[in-house]
Amino acid sequence: MEEKEYRELVKTAFDKIGNAFDDVDPDLAEYTFSQGAITVQFADQSKLILSQQPSVRQIWVAAASKGVAYHFNYSQGLWMDDKGLNLELLGYVKSLVQEIAQVSLPL
């Protein structure tokens, strides 16, 4: 995939995630986008970080409080984890936010 296409796909995914936080109380889960990365800080001070990795055409997701990190590749219209666990990016973010903050994102 060309870099331009990768960046457009990342922008689409990151925009969907950002828009999903529009109605979320920032005291429960505060969304920020800076320098190409999304950070969500939760009330318990834990963080969820999504970052672009253009050199390998992936999105990386880390949830330090859970001790997990996943790398997602774009395939057949979805961002899927590269470990073969059948994790889809938007669904994974939604489930983490639900688990940590008890907030249901419209993803």
Side-chain angles (χ1 to χ4, degrees), residues 10-86:
V10 168
K11 182 181 182 329
T12 298
F14 280 18
D15 285 350
K16 284 181 184 177
I17 293 167
N19 291 337
F21 280 91
D22 283 350
D23 295 325
V24 174
D25 181 344
D27 289 337
L28 298 175
E30 184 174 10
Y31 164 93
T32 57
F33 180 78
S34 177
Q35 298 179 349
I38 292 172
T39 301
V40 180
Q41 183 155 347
F42 299 100
D44 66 2
Q45 300 307 307
S46 64
K47 292 182 181 179
L48 172 64
I49 300 169
L50 293 88
S51 62
Q52 302 177 44
Q53 300 299 319
S55 63
V56 290
R57 306 294 194 259
Q58 292 181 325
I59 294 174
W60 291 3
V61 179
S65 66
K66 312 269 312 143
V68 297
Y70 292 102
H71 304 163
F72 291 83
N73 295 312
Y74 192 78
S75 175
Q76 299 179 355
L78 298 170
W79 287 98
M80 299 298 295
D81 77 283
D82 69 350
K83 295 179 182 178
L85 300 174
N86 238 8

